[in-house]
Amino acid sequence: LIIFISTRGKMNPNRDLKFGESLKIGAWLLPAPALITLVLGFVLPVQYFQQYFPIIFIMTLGMRSVWLTMRTLNPNMPQQ
């Protein structure tokens, strides 16, 4: 939903992105945070990781989503 909303700008070249396509992009985002969380699960102690697993996954997914929207879905600014 965030990807869909972030591409709705008037000057954004990705404004024609459909909701289903944005869901596909969102599904493409999920493996990286899941793998990062899995690696952290092997590093952190079990008691600590079980308590904070959802928070770690949501934070890594949020960072990945922000990185994607900043890098690839932003409109290209004209060079001055």
Side-chain angles (χ1 to χ4, degrees), residues 2 33 56-69:
I2 291 179
I56 293 171
F57 180 72
I58 290 170
M59 288 176 56
T60 55
L61 181 61
M63 287 189 290
R64 176 87 165 125
S65 301
V66 168
W67 178 81
L68 177 91
T69 56

Side-chain angles (χ1 to χ4, degrees), residues 7-59:
T7 58
R8 297 297 104 189
K10 183 178 180 181
M11 301 300 288
N12 196 324
N14 298 311
R15 67 181 175 269
D16 298 328
L17 192 68
K18 305 285 187 274
F19 186 71
E21 292 171 343
S22 64
L23 286 177
K24 288 179 186 177
I25 292 171
W28 179 74
L29 283 173
L30 290 175
L35 288 174
I36 292 170
T37 308
L38 180 69
V39 168
L40 286 175
F42 288 123
V43 174
L44 296 175
V46 174
Q47 295 84 10
Y48 182 76
F49 185 71
Q50 286 177 348
Q51 189 176 15
Y52 294 108
F53 169 74
I55 296 170
I56 293 171
F57 180 72
I58 290 170
M59 288 176 56

